[in-house]
Amino acid sequence: MPDRSRYHHGALRDALVDAGEALARAEGLEGVTVRRIAAACGVSAAAVYRHFPSGDHLIAAVAQRAREIMARDMFTRLSSAAGKPPIDRLREVGESYIAFALAEPQLFSLVSMPMTTPPDRLDDPNAADLVRDIVLELEPPGEIDEARVAARMMLAQSSAHGLAVILRDFVPDPQARAMLIAGVLDRVGVGLEA
């Protein structure tokens, strides 16, 4: 049984999110419930509501943790691509997204879950901001077309997400996965530069 005395001065909030992350890694979205998170911390479900206005807010905080873990992986991978052209860095971000989905499929289920309640703060780091910053480099100097930026971001994000889900669910062979990642991201790169 967890030591409840460690939860003074707001430590329970972090412990609840930590427990949610552990449950998500083990069981995916289905394992992340208020009751199970509270039990993992050795507290009542009512104790959760002293730190989160609703169960949805707790789930949003756990999902945010998953997104931030993924974003940190992206930033780490991108650091090795410093100095490369924007399209190559976007490819690194896409490959990182896919690698995270394949390495952490249960945790990944929270990354893209529909959010009924927004988190109480912005993601830090934020993967969408990273993609936008690189996409902005594809814009002609002195000219930013927000519609084109939004379309490029959607193309990059939806391609990486769709490919990640398909590979995770339907393509178990690592060689086939590598071939598909290379082929699809090459084509996406052509589209992004158009």
Side-chain angles (χ1 to χ4, degrees), residues 39-53:
C41 290
V43 299
S44 70
V48 170
Y49 300 107
R50 288 188 211 111
H51 300 277
F52 294 94

Side-chain angles (χ1 to χ4, degrees), residues 89-126:
R89 286 182 281 124
L90 274 174
R91 182 188 182 105
E92 291 288 336
V93 169
E95 287 177 359
S96 178
Y97 186 92
I98 294 164
F100 181 83
L102 298 177
E104 295 275 6
Q106 302 287 36
L107 195 56
F108 180 73
S109 66
L110 273 80
V111 166
S112 59
M113 67 177 269
M115 297 301 297
T116 56
T117 303
D120 59 1
R121 62 174 177 75
L122 296 175
D123 290 7
D124 183 24
N126 188 314

Side-chain angles (χ1 to χ4, degrees), residues 52-65:
F52 294 94
S54 71
D56 286 345
H57 284 85
L58 172 57
I59 306 306
V62 176
Q64 182 172 51
R65 167 82 59 87

Side-chain angles (χ1 to χ4, degrees), residues 75-177:
F75 276 94
T76 298
R77 184 169 179 149
L78 197 57
S79 68
S80 67
K84 289 185 177 179
I87 205 69
D88 293 339
R89 286 182 281 124
L90 274 174
R91 182 188 182 105
E92 291 288 336
V93 169
E95 287 177 359
S96 178
Y97 186 92
I98 294 164
F100 181 83
L102 298 177
E104 295 275 6
Q106 302 287 36
L107 195 56
F108 180 73
S109 66
L110 273 80
V111 166
S112 59
M113 67 177 269
M115 297 301 297
T116 56
T117 303
D120 59 1
R121 62 174 177 75
L122 296 175
D123 290 7
D124 183 24
N126 188 314
D129 288 346
L130 171 64
V131 172
R132 179 177 169 78
D133 289 347
I134 299 171
V135 165
L136 284 171
E137 293 180 49
L138 297 172
E139 288 292 288
E143 175 189 333
I144 296 177
D145 179 339
E146 287 297 338
R148 185 173 50 223
V149 168
R152 283 177 165 162
M153 286 182 66
M154 184 58 66
L155 175 60
Q157 292 170 326
S158 62
S159 299
H161 180 76
L163 184 56
V165 170
I166 290 168
L167 295 178
R168 180 196 65 195
D169 294 348
F170 302 110
V171 184
D173 178 58
Q175 288 181 321
R177 284 178 171 177

